[in-house]
Amino acid sequence: MSTELNNGLYEPSPEACEEKMRLAVAYQVATADYSKAVSELVAKIGVTLKSEYDKLHQAVEQERQRSVEARDRLYHHTTTHGCSFQAKRASLT
Ligand SMILES: [Zn+2]
């Protein structure tokens, strides 16, 4: 039965890639931080000083940048490592 699983093609298992999991979690955390910063900013609209608002706005921009970078790192890893779900689907056809 094992010959069926090993017909000369190495197929990386997407679920088993630890680096991908790590990057996916980092992306999730960055996204959560970003939406938290956004709701803090929204809550302060009209009730805070402009200088305070600008500071919050800057923080939101930083979090947004972080989540974009985390997403790019995840995307870059899965495409170069071949452990994305798309890659698995393509290798099965
Ligand atoms: Zn990987």
Side-chain angles (χ1 to χ4, degrees):
M1 280 301 170
S2 63
T3 51
E4 230 177 285
L5 294 167
N6 186 17
N7 56 0
L9 266 172
Y10 172 67
E11 187 186 312
S13 169
E15 292 82 12
C17 181
E18 278 181 28
E19 181 67 0
K20 189 184 82 171
M21 288 308 294
R22 199 182 65 78
L23 292 168
V25 168
Y27 174 45
Q28 253 175 20
V29 169
T31 308
D33 284 352
Y34 171 50
S35 50
K36 209 172 79 185
V38 169
S39 41
E40 264 170 44
L41 179 71
V42 169
K44 292 284 172 73
I45 289 175
V47 297
T48 190
L49 296 169
K50 171 122 176 51
S51 59
E52 187 68 21
Y53 179 85
D54 286 348
K55 231 190 286 174
L56 282 167
H57 192 261
Q58 231 170 36
V60 165
E61 264 307 301
Q62 252 170 34
E63 296 296 350
R64 192 184 63 81
Q65 191 60 35
R66 263 185 62 211
S67 68
V68 166
E69 281 169 13
R71 190 197 58 199
D72 285 352
R73 272 197 293 272
L74 176 64
Y75 179 77
H76 180 77
H77 172 82
T78 54
T79 49
T80 55
H81 193 212
C83 60
S84 69
F85 294 105
Q86 285 86 352
K88 191 197 178 191
R89 233 180 273 135
S91 75
L92 284 172
T93 54

